[in-house]
Amino acid sequence: MKILISNDDGYTAEGIQGLYEALKGLGELTVVAPETNCSASSNALTLNRPLSVRQAANGFYFVNGTPSDCVHIALTGLLDFKPDLIVSGINNGANMGDDTLYSGTVAAAMEGHLFNIPAIAFSLVERGWEFLDTAKHVARQVVQMCQREALTAGTLLNVNIPNVSKHALQGMRVTRLGKRHPSEPVIKSATPYGEPVYWIGPVGKIRDATADTDFGAIADLSVSITPLRFDLTSYDELSSITQWINENETAV
């Protein structure tokens, strides 16, 4: 199995080092990751400047761009093969509920999904690496399951792992995305020259954490596995918007 590894915390991050170690022996591993931390970069591609690819002493490739840039470049020009699986992470912090829209970790996996390659994003839900060994254990287990029974082409899984010892884990649970309240207000400050600046505020409080959500699974110390898709179409509104257009277009 050929496995492409990326992340959003950068190629020197402890999480990607751990993911690489966790997957050793499971296939041919190639790492293509951002040069610097690109958290919350979502699916951004860099179009206003050329990108460079360099190789570190440990063999990891790093790109002066976003997570999506890394996987896109790997799949469309850097690699001379098509990976069987793309994995992203291990992220330093959760990627659950609405936050997945902003996540660079999920975006790296999403880029593989767009190229019809199975992809998995791994996140350790609380910052810090005290329980990185737990996340490594889960990542290896999930990839081994992929080897035993291959995921359908284009499958995208978002895996969040509680910060507990592997012996304290309460299994794995397939979940849907939960929801948060809107984010807290921005924090207004000023430069030494009196110019106003703004810090993005904290995330909102959780408002949907039932047992079938990612938030609910983590609260029960279970690994949350959420299948995602790129299609943002609101199918429930297709007929009502069609009716709205038909009723109003003659008046335009």
Side-chain angles (χ1 to χ4, degrees), residues 106-126:
V106 174
M110 179 72 76
E111 197 68 18
H113 167 72
L114 295 176
F115 280 87
N116 210 34
I117 300 171
I120 309 169
F122 292 103
S123 300
L124 191 56
V125 297
E126 295 176 17

Side-chain angles (χ1 to χ4, degrees), residues 75 82-86 109 112-119 152-155:
L75 298 180
K82 180 180 178 179
D84 301 299
L85 178 68
I86 294 173
H113 167 72
L114 295 176
F115 280 87
N116 210 34
I117 300 171
T152 304
T155 297

